[in-house]
Amino acid sequence: MNTLLSLIKTPVPRDLSLPLPLNPDDLAIILVVLFLVHIFFVNLMMGGVILSVIFEIVGKYRKEYDQLAYRISETVTANKSLAVVLGVGPLLCISLLYTMHFYAANALTGYAWISVIPLVIIAFLVTYLHKYTWHKWTGPDKNRHIALGVGAVFVFMGIPMIFLANINLMLFPDKWPEIQGFFSSLEVGNVFPRYFHFLMASLALTGLFLAGWFGRKKYALEKNLPGCNRGSVRRIFYRITFYATIAQLAFGPLVFATLPIGGVTTDLFILISLGVAVALLLLALLRLEIRSGDEHIGRHYAWIGLLFTVLVLVMGTGRHMYRESSLMTHKALIADKTVRFKSVEAATQMRLAAGLGTGDALASGPTGKSLFANCAACHAVDKVLAAPSLREVYGIYKDNPQGIIAWAKEPGKKRPEFTPMPSFAHLGDENLQMVADYILQLGAPAAETESSDTPAKL
Amino acid sequence: MDFPLFFMDEIGNRLLMAVIAIVHVLINHPLAVGAYPLVTLLEWWGRRNNDAAIDNLAYRVAFVLFVVTTTVGALTGVGIWFSAGLIAPFGIGSLLRVFFWAWFIEWLVFISEVVLIMVYVLTWKRWADGLMKKVHIGVGVLLSALSWATMVIIVAVLGFMMGSGTWTQNQSFLSAVFNPLYLPQLAFRTAFAMVAAGLVVWFLMFFFTKQAPELRRRAVRFVSIWILGWTPLWLGASLWYWNAVPAAMQANVNVGLLTQAFQNWHSDFVVILGVVVAIILVTAVVGALNPRLIPRAVLLVPCVLGLFLLGHFERVREFIRKPHVVADYMYSNGVTMTELPVFQRDGLLTYATYVRHKSVTSANKIEAGEDISMLACSRCHTTTGVNALVDRFEKLYGTEPWDEAALGAFVSSMHMSRTYMPPFPGNTAEAEALVAYLRDLQQKRGSAPGAQTLGIPRAAAVDNNANVNQ
């Protein structure tokens, strides 16, 4: 393998020095679970937005579909807000567990990453407008209304791409030096196959959710969806789930085949095969449901839901396994580097505590000369840098060193041409006394010879 | 601070962060923490008096709250995480390690809050009578309590960033939470949120009562009394808060208010604060006694002033914690207090991963200086944009080519002369390289792109395993 070679290219940063607040394995479990819950609502949001617009378009020709589309958009109102708030938890977990990787990917795709915020705001506002104008922009305005929905769909479709680019890029630190901006990050790993995999999963899950939502006994179907019957509504959405899952049989292997090989292990392979078996079982059940009559359709809903949950858990765990195995070496290198730095840091602190200085310059108490470094940025002997020269100061204070101290503690404003002098009260009277003496020594006309080497260094 | 650095040289990182954070606070305080209880109270009042018009008015206000808080409000909240991760990953990453559980609980509360605001608004028309109406009002009460609870948690974190109390000694979670600024800041924000909510709702109501002068009169009086009730608490809490800000930070506040030219601005600020409060009070008194006298334009004034003050408070708060991101532990450029002496002895570049050169030579001086500036200064300054290094130095030294020795002296004493800046975190050679870069920058005025466009230097990776050994 070329792993050794690529490791040499790979940047190995030093981790933050505070410890994690909990055991990394527990954190990983929390991350996977919270992430799946989040992504479930993201799927329902994406699928809902897409299906609602498609159904609205169909509704131009078949009235009952328009009403169905409206009812779908009602579910989006809650699902999209849940998708966002439920995203914060996994965001915190991933930034804890992969601090050095996640933030690095964020920075490398910075502009795209931060634009997620305005994009989601726009998408949500347009979605509200779309929903609350549904029964107002009718007749001749209907096309405008549909265009609004289509616009929202486009904004919604762009956002997952940015997220995928980030969680993809963080897995490949050896590629970081090649990245220049968001678009180049799309060339790393397998962002596009994953994107389509995600879109299809959204349609499949949303279909299943809506089959249950509108198909449940308590739903006031006659009132909310006049002209539809329960069996046919269930069938419509089951079909969507069915075909989307069939499509996954193509996208799934594509995602797997395009994964950079570094993180693929036997365990992962077995797990994914298990997932495929579950998916096949699901398809069989779905087909059975779709083919049964209106009075029977829906009998196996609970089983289908359960199998989907298993499938999602398998895929989520698989992803985490891949992430861990592809980052294992890199994480170990980071940990090693961090520990080595900490020992240097601790040794330095001990020297300091023992009064030995940091180890280069000999530690000695402050002197007038060393303290004058605080003033040298603005005051020079006979040049005007950002303040009156020491010659001038000498002229004013030659018999009054106390005046310098008083001024330095609470500088006034005399000369309009300069930015005001900051206070140096924090140096303390004793130190200021030393500086004052030193300044008067430098500023005195006799000190001319000495002055040439003073303000430059230190 | 070993991260690729996102850097926006035009508007500056701090401005991006400040805009997102301030928009969030401007929505969260008045429209969530303050307005939920106000609307719930209005709903309760309408039910008690069998006043359907008031109930409907409360609903329309609640609908606006719903639209704004679930979009701009919620997303700017998430945006704070995003921008902090970009701008100060070392800071937010460290805070996350200390405050994970607090944030985790806050997140659970936040979820409940969002669920409840949806329930509250979407069921308003359905749960309209009898017992269900009572339940609905109960939802409003719970919603108000939860949104205040999120504030209770977040303020702990904010207060901690300004003064970590005993945390630096024992690193325990509880001592981090009960830092010296906690209660005063919580009281201040709560009372301010309540007053600000009154101001915003005052203004909003005018859109919904155009055809109903009688309704408007009742509603304006109601909200005026609300504001009058909270104002004394708000003033008291402000004083408490101001006195609790540690002395060292208080010295910085004036600069935060409006840069150094206004070092003596403090007294003026107090006057402005007084005027705003007086205007709000007068409007509220008149509104309570004779609501007819209040035209809409007048209501806009306290509303805008109140929000301005709130935004300003946030800016000052952001400023006075300088030079630290985590008080007494980590400076704003990500250097911790214990790393500092190591860097000053061995060099900053030596331990940095995402830089072009690991040490300064005469050939790479300017490039190395640019990297140093990126590491040491770019979290607070741009090169030529907002709060630019070029402008700062020109104000100090004029437009003639800057004096090398003076720049060197500035860099080595920057923390002593400007306590809001951290000490220079590098060795002598690096200080010289920074000076060379700054002098070059003065001539060329090129801007420095961040990792989001330039990426990370390829060379950086090559010798990365060699660098910690010496």
Side-chain angles (χ1 to χ4, degrees):
Chain A
M1 225 32 6
N2 60 351
T3 31
L4 238 159
L5 210 87
S6 70
L7 268 180
I8 297 174
K9 280 200 314 175
T10 309
V12 178
R14 168 168 43 87
D15 199 356
L16 299 175
S17 64
L18 293 173
L20 286 182
L22 72 170
N23 176 321
D25 294 334
D26 299 341
L27 188 56
I29 295 173
I30 300 180
L31 169 64
V32 171
V33 173
L34 292 184
F35 178 72
L36 289 178
V37 176
H38 160 64
I39 210 69
F40 174 71
F41 284 99
V42 172
N43 283 325
L44 296 190
M45 164 184 89
M46 286 296 294
V49 173
I50 296 172
L51 290 180
S52 144
V53 168
I54 295 178
F55 280 38
E56 188 182 10
I57 295 171
V58 176
K60 282 184 71 162
Y61 312 100
R62 295 173 64 181
K63 196 80 204 81
E64 70 276 15
Y65 275 80
D66 186 73
Q67 195 56 16
L68 197 53
Y70 176 68
R71 296 298 166 197
I72 297 176
S73 82
E74 279 186 334
T75 67
V76 173
T77 302
N79 289 338
K80 64 122 190 44
S81 280
L82 288 174
V84 165
V85 293
L86 290 171
V88 173
L91 180 76
L92 300 192
C93 292
I94 202 167
S95 9
L96 260 186
L97 195 54
Y98 300 102
T99 311
M100 306 317 289
H101 300 98
F102 188 64
Y103 288 139
N106 292 174
L108 289 171
T109 60
Y111 286 135
W113 181 244
I114 195 66
S115 62
V116 163
I117 302 300
L119 283 177
V120 176
I121 292 179
I122 293 170
F124 281 13
L125 286 173
V126 174
T127 308
Y128 279 141
L129 189 64
H130 185 241
K131 176 180 157 190
Y132 290 108
T133 53
W134 202 293
H135 301 300
K136 290 188 191 128
W137 295 6
T138 49
D141 288 340
K142 189 64 177 172
N143 285 338
R144 181 152 60 105
H145 189 257
I146 291 176
L148 194 65
V150 172
V153 169
F154 274 110
V155 185
F156 269 109
M157 301 250 279
I159 297 161
M161 192 64 119
I162 302 176
F163 278 98
L164 278 173
N166 264 273
I167 52 171
N168 176 65
L169 181 60
M170 68 176 254
L171 299 182
F172 308 110
D174 54 319
K175 297 287 191 304
W176 294 349
E178 287 154 34
I179 302 302
Q180 293 190 324
F182 168 70
F183 290 103
S184 68
S185 77
L186 298 178
E187 291 159 21
V188 172
N190 61 348
V191 181
F192 288 100
R194 282 183 75 182
Y195 180 72
F196 291 111
H197 194 57
F198 160 81
L199 280 188
M200 281 304 139
S202 295
L203 290 177
L205 278 176
T206 309
L208 190 67
F209 163 74
L210 292 175
W213 184 253
F214 296 131
R216 69 191 202 275
K217 291 265 156 33
K218 278 169 80 182
Y219 189 74
L221 199 78
E222 296 71 28
K223 180 169 152 260
N224 291 334
L225 293 171
C228 294
N229 81 46
R230 184 160 278 117
S232 64
V233 169
R234 280 178 178 164
R235 196 168 295 108
I236 292 173
F237 291 110
Y238 267 149
R239 282 217 169 95
I240 290 171
T241 305
F242 183 75
Y243 289 116
T245 310
I246 295 255
Q248 292 298 54
L249 291 183
F251 284 120
L254 184 67
V255 170
F256 195 68
T258 52
L259 273 183
I261 200 75
V264 178
T265 57
T266 328
D267 288 353
L268 180 64
F269 191 77
I270 295 173
L271 197 72
I272 298 290
S273 313
L274 186 77
V276 174
V278 175
L280 290 173
L281 201 60
L282 253 173
L283 281 173
L285 266 182
L286 279 168
R287 201 172 119 96
L288 193 72
E289 284 277 66
I290 294 170
R291 293 199 149 192
S292 45
D294 278 1
E295 65 284 14
H296 291 309
I297 186 168
R299 272 180 309 175
H300 302 303
Y301 190 77
W303 278 109
I304 296 179
L306 189 71
L307 283 177
F308 249 107
T309 312
V310 173
L311 184 61
V312 166
L313 272 174
V314 166
M315 295 301 171
T317 313
R319 272 241 61 87
H320 182 70
M321 281 167 62
Y322 180 76
R323 191 160 51 218
E324 275 298 304
S325 59
S326 44
L327 287 181
M328 197 166 53
T329 327
H330 195 239
K331 282 183 104 172
L333 287 173
I334 292 180
D336 179 54
K337 187 166 181 177
T338 311
V339 169
R340 276 191 288 157
F341 180 79
K342 275 191 177 175
S343 65
V344 175
E345 199 180 15
T348 314
Q349 287 298 313
M350 271 165 62
R351 290 188 69 93
L352 283 175
L356 292 172
T358 54
D360 57 354
L362 273 178
S364 56
T367 61
K369 187 173 172 183
S370 72
L371 286 163
F372 181 69
N374 291 312
C375 323
C378 305
H379 296 282
V381 176
D382 39 22
K383 249 194 289 184
V384 171
L385 296 172
S389 70
L390 296 188
R391 296 261 180 271
E392 189 181 338
V393 173
Y394 178 83
I396 305 173
Y397 291 101
K398 58 176 179 288
D399 306 316
N400 178 19
Q402 288 309 312
I404 298 186
I405 302 178
W407 168 277
K409 282 160 72 176
E410 208 174 321
K413 178 117 191 71
K414 286 191 194 165
R415 305 168 181 78
E417 69 272 28
F418 299 123
T419 347
M421 173 173 149
S423 157
F424 282 90
H426 52 276
L427 288 183
D429 280 15
E430 219 173 286
N431 288 334
L432 286 175
Q433 178 75 57
M434 282 192 265
V435 189
D437 294 345
Y438 186 70
I439 284 183
L440 292 181
Q441 197 186 321
L442 281 185
E448 221 133 56
T449 39
E450 200 192 334
S451 72
S452 54
D453 66 5
T454 22
K457 271 276 159 69
L458 231 161
Chain B
M1 48 167 234
D2 214 3
F3 294 91
L5 289 175
F6 175 86
F7 181 51
M8 300 208 303
D9 204 9
E10 308 75 31
I11 69 161
N13 288 342
R14 282 176 45 224
L15 194 63
L16 173 75
M17 181 121 182
V19 167
I20 295 180
I22 288 178
V23 170
H24 182 68
V25 167
L26 286 184
I27 287 174
N28 175 273
H29 284 19
L31 294 181
V33 177
Y36 296 153
L38 175 53
V39 168
T40 309
L41 196 67
L42 200 59
E43 185 191 8
W44 170 84
W45 190 55
R47 189 190 101 91
R48 208 189 60 159
N49 300 335
N50 262 326
D51 190 337
I54 283 286
D55 187 79
N56 192 42
L57 179 63
Y59 170 71
R60 298 181 73 172
V61 173
F63 184 77
V64 174
L65 301 185
F66 164 75
V67 168
V68 178
T69 53
T70 56
T71 56
V72 190
L75 264 304
T76 46
V78 180
I80 293 176
W81 290 107
F82 274 54
S83 58
L86 283 178
I87 289 163
F90 40 81
I92 199 71
S94 299
L95 287 170
L96 195 51
R97 290 178 186 202
V98 180
F99 282 107
F100 177 69
W101 290 112
W103 270 324
F104 197 82
I105 292 165
E106 193 259 351
W107 173 57
L108 298 180
V109 178
F110 178 46
I111 297 173
S112 334
E113 189 190 329
V114 169
V115 170
L116 282 177
I117 179 71
M118 291 192 294
V119 171
Y120 187 59
V121 171
L122 300 175
T123 60
W124 195 302
K125 298 288 167 188
R126 253 184 291 154
W127 298 357
D129 321 284
L131 179 65
M132 283 327 273
K133 186 67 180 172
K134 277 194 188 155
V135 171
H136 190 260
I137 294 176
V139 171
V141 172
L142 196 58
L143 174 62
S144 312
L146 285 179
S147 70
W148 186 68
T150 52
M151 180 187 260
V152 169
I153 300 171
I154 285 303
V155 170
V157 178
L158 291 179
F160 172 70
M161 289 167 74
M162 293 165 71
S164 54
T166 53
W167 178 80
T168 26
Q169 276 96 57
N170 59 20
Q171 305 219 341
S172 100
F173 177 67
L174 277 184
S175 59
V177 172
F178 290 102
N179 60 72
L181 276 179
Y182 184 55
L183 290 177
Q185 193 179 173
L186 182 60
F188 174 82
R189 281 178 188 265
T190 305
F192 203 163
M194 298 301 167
V195 174
L199 300 177
V200 175
V201 171
W202 242 357
F203 183 66
L204 268 182
M205 287 186 329
F206 267 72
F207 291 99
F208 301 139
T209 54
K210 275 197 192 120
Q211 266 83 48
E214 179 57 21
L215 172 65
R216 176 176 295 184
R217 196 184 55 73
R218 267 177 293 153
V220 166
R221 170 170 291 160
F222 182 88
V223 177
S224 301
I225 293 173
W226 166 274
I227 292 176
L228 282 179
W230 283 103
T231 309
L233 287 169
W234 175 40
L235 280 180
S238 313
L239 285 178
W240 187 17
Y241 179 73
W242 181 258
N243 286 324
V245 173
M249 293 180 171
Q250 235 169 42
N252 276 345
V253 168
N254 297 327
V255 192
L257 293 175
L258 215 70
T259 74
Q260 301 160 17
F262 295 90
Q263 290 264 1
N264 296 323
W265 216 60
H266 183 194
S267 50
D268 299 349
F269 178 69
V270 171
V271 172
I272 293 180
L273 181 82
V275 171
V276 173
V277 172
I279 292 179
I280 292 174
L281 271 179
V282 168
T283 321
V285 170
V286 176
L289 296 178
N290 194 347
R292 241 180 298 258
L293 289 180
I294 308 262
R296 169 157 41 151
V298 172
L299 282 183
L300 195 58
V301 176
C303 181
V304 169
L305 286 179
L307 291 183
F308 167 77
L309 214 58
L310 184 54
H312 204 67
F313 165 74
E314 289 304 323
R315 241 203 89 197
V316 174
R317 186 189 59 69
E318 264 299 301
F319 191 86
I320 59 181
R321 66 184 172 79
K322 290 205 163 46
H324 296 102
V325 249
V326 184
D328 305 329
Y329 171 70
M330 182 186 271
Y331 291 112
S332 298
N333 51 12
V335 176
T336 66
M337 314 277 273
T338 48
E339 284 170 349
L340 185 71
V342 180
F343 292 167
Q344 286 179 335
R345 181 192 58 203
D346 302 344
L348 177 64
L349 297 177
T350 316
Y351 297 104
T353 304
Y354 302 103
V355 289
R356 285 168 288 186
H357 308 287
K358 291 285 184 179
S359 57
V360 180
T361 63
S362 53
N364 71 18
K365 215 168 177 183
I366 290 177
E367 270 188 11
E370 185 175 0
D371 284 348
I372 292 165
S373 154
M374 196 61 129
L375 292 169
C377 322
S378 75
R379 298 304 93 185
C380 304
H381 293 284
T382 65
T383 60
T384 51
V386 174
N387 196 15
L389 287 173
V390 169
D391 298 344
R392 291 283 152 232
F393 279 112
E394 286 203 330
K395 252 186 92 197
L396 212 53
Y397 297 125
T399 48
E400 292 297 302
W402 301 322
D403 185 274
E404 200 171 341
L407 286 188
F410 179 91
V411 168
S412 61
S413 66
M414 56 190 265
H415 178 57
M416 287 318 260
S417 59
R418 307 285 175 195
T419 44
Y420 44 77
M421 281 202 268
F424 177 67
N427 60 23
T428 329
E430 289 173 341
E432 282 167 15
L434 177 61
V435 168
Y437 164 68
L438 288 169
R439 281 162 52 90
D440 185 62
L441 181 68
Q442 185 192 16
Q443 305 307 321
K444 299 202 178 119
R445 294 182 180 262
S447 72
Q452 75 276 23
T453 42
L454 204 63
I456 54 176
R458 280 157 214 263
V462 179
D463 56 348
N464 73 67
N465 285 318
N467 60 46
V468 175
N469 294 325
Q470 68 278 75

